[in-house]
């Protein structure tokens, strides 16, 4: 019955000559044809109305060369560099899966937006120098035809790190290495500190380091949206959903010690659609785990950490969500417009925000003070008891500050050594990591994205050697501790 009904809609005489068509060429009057077919089907089938065809526009494609899990700045940076480095335009089909495309809880959007080179590891210094150059030339990298240029609102006021007598020698050694890597950093004595920043109380300060170039803060939301706009123009596909399963194949190989090792390769990713019970399988060649604070859960879906204890198979990705508070306060008598971001000896930090005598700041809690990461509620008592006393001690004008606002966000905290995890997993051979940066992922995203893309396209790190950031260090217990985390 149905085939016969459908055939009634296309009869001789339904073709009309359209102006401008080539001689002998006809085009179908589609609107009239479609309307007539609908009426015929309505009269032939049970029911009184014709249901619309199933809308599949929200579904991801059934195949992608690379699936990136996490659409924050790190994931978008990987997508950007993959498309930049592909051997032929359109050679790589890249899909970005993000749970919340509004980014209302994303670490990238909730960040303070700081960038500095005052790290204790050469790799972190190199990554931030690379990112500083990228941000300085942002519109050369992320320009899109007919779109307005990006304005990152970069404030090049530097970072000012304060050290007690106990940590002064380490600061001096770090600054020496930072200079060797190309960072513009100077050391300041307490007297020099008071002369340059008369609002600061130098009690308990033995030495300070001050970033004179390529340090400050910028608008993280602008970078996030700029990257997203650019990669979409390059052909990257986005999907709102959550990865719930990997389908893999396995093989076995013998190590030098004649031990059998099981290797896995993911060939299908299941994406659960937002606000739905349905999922879409996506065939893929490579998976990028850029899921931030939730990247350990994604790794576990692939079987990472599910083997016997004290084995490579049983080694988990040591990344977990850590909640961090950012407070906003007003203080008319506070430090002036030229004040840098200050990192105190106590771990408390602050910077100026805009022109209206407002400031942002906070402090990372100790292990004993770690808040429940199950929600993003703000603990205002933490400011009163743990942050404000240190602020008022270091900047006496902050005695009279008034808190105006606050929010909370997540660090993708690497509990092993507070450094990023970059590159492939040794056993799940086509899962690559870009996670675990413990608070400095935003500022290092351009360099990390390039590093991951180089590993995929070229088979090795080229611009910056990040071998020390590979996953295997967790099994080998080779810590590369970063000291300058706030």
């Amino acid at each position: 019955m149905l085939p016969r009904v459908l055939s009634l809609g296309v009869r001789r005489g339904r073709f009309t000559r359209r102006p401008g068509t080539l001689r002998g060429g006809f085009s179908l009057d589609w609107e009239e044809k479609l309307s007539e077919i609908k009426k015929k089907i309505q009269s032939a089938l049970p029911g009184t109305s014709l249901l619309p065809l199933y809308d599949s526009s929200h579904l991801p494609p059934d195949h992608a060369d690379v699936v990136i899990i996490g659409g924050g700045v790190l994931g978008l940076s990987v997508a950007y560099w993959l498309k930049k480095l592909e051997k032929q335009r359109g050679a790589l089909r890249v899909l970005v899966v993000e749970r919340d495309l509004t980014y209302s809880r994303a670490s990238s959007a909730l960040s303070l937006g700081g960038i500095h080179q005052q790290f204790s590891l050469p790799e972190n210094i190199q990554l931030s120098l690379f990112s500083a150059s990228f941000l300085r030339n942002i519109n050369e990298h992320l320009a899109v035809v007919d779109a307005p240029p990006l304005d990152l609102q970069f404030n090049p006021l530097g970072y000012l790190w304060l050290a007690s007598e106990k940590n002064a020698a380490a600061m001096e050694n770090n600054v020496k290495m930072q200079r060797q890597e190309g960072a513009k950093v100077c050391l300041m004595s307490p007297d020099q500190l008071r002369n340059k920043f008369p609002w600061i109380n130098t009690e308990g300060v033995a030495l300070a380091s001050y970033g004179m170039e390529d340090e400050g803060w910028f608008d993280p939301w602008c970078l996030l949206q700029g990257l997203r706009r650019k990669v979409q123009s390059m052909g990257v596909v986005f999907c709102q959903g959550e990865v719930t399963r990997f389908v893999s194949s396995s093989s076995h190989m013998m190590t030098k010690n004649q031990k059998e090792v099981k290797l896995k390769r993911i060939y299908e990713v299941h994406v659960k659609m937002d606000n739905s019970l349905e999922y879409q399988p996506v065939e893929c060649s490579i998976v990028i785990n850029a899921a931030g604070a939730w990247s350990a859960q994604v790794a576990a879906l692939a079987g990472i950490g599910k083997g016997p204890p004290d084995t490579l198979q049983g080694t988990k990705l040591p990344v977990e969500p850590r909640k961090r508070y950012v407070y906003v306060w007003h203080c008319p008598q506070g430090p002036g417009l030229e004040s840098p971001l200050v990192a105190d000896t106590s771990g408390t930090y602050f910077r100026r925000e805009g022109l209206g005598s407002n400031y942002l700041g906070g402090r990372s809690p100790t292990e004993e003070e770690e808040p429940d990461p199950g929600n993003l509620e703000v603990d205002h008592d933490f400011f009163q008891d743990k942050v404000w006393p240190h602020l008022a001690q270091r900047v006496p004008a902050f005695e009279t500050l008034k808190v105006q606002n606050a929010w909370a966000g997540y660090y993708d905290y690497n509990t092993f050594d507070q450094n990023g995890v970059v590159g492939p997993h040794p056993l799940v051979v086509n899962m690559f990591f870009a996670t675990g940066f413990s608070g400095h992922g935003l500022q290092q995203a351009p360099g990390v994205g390039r590093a991951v893309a180089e590993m995929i396209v070229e088979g090795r790190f080229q611009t910056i050697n990040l071998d020390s950031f590979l996953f295997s260090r967790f099994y080998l217990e080779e810590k590369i501790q970063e000291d300058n985390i706030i």
Side-chain angles (χ1 to χ4, degrees), residues 10 42 66 85 117 212 217 259 285 290 295 298 311 338 348 363 366 407 472:
V10 184
Q42 275 183 304
V66 182
L85 300 179
Q117 291 83 50
M212 301 180 291
W217 52 92
K259 291 184 178 179
S285 300
S295 53
V298 173
T311 66
E338 298 301 314
T348 305
R363 172 177 167 265
T366 63
W407 71 83
S472 55

Side-chain angles (χ1 to χ4, degrees), residues 332-410:
Q333 306 306 317
L337 295 175
E338 298 301 314
S339 60
L341 188 150
V342 179
D344 188 39
T345 57
S346 63
T348 305
Y349 64 90
F350 71 89
R351 69 165 173 84
R352 192 175 175 106
E353 173 68 5
L355 304 177
S357 298
N358 294 319
Y359 301 83
L360 303 179
R363 172 177 167 265
S364 289
T366 63
E367 287 292 328
E368 295 75 23
E369 297 166 346
E370 281 292 346
D372 177 12
N375 59 66
L376 286 180
E377 295 176 3
V378 175
D379 182 355
H380 292 277
D381 289 338
F382 185 79
F383 181 86
Q384 193 68 26
D385 300 336
K386 305 294 183 179
V387 179
W388 178 70
H390 297 292
L391 289 172
Q393 192 274 334
R394 187 59 61 208
V395 181
F398 283 158
E399 283 275 4
T400 58
L401 65 79
K402 292 184 179 180
V403 177
Q404 294 187 323
N405 197 2
W407 71 83
Y410 290 116

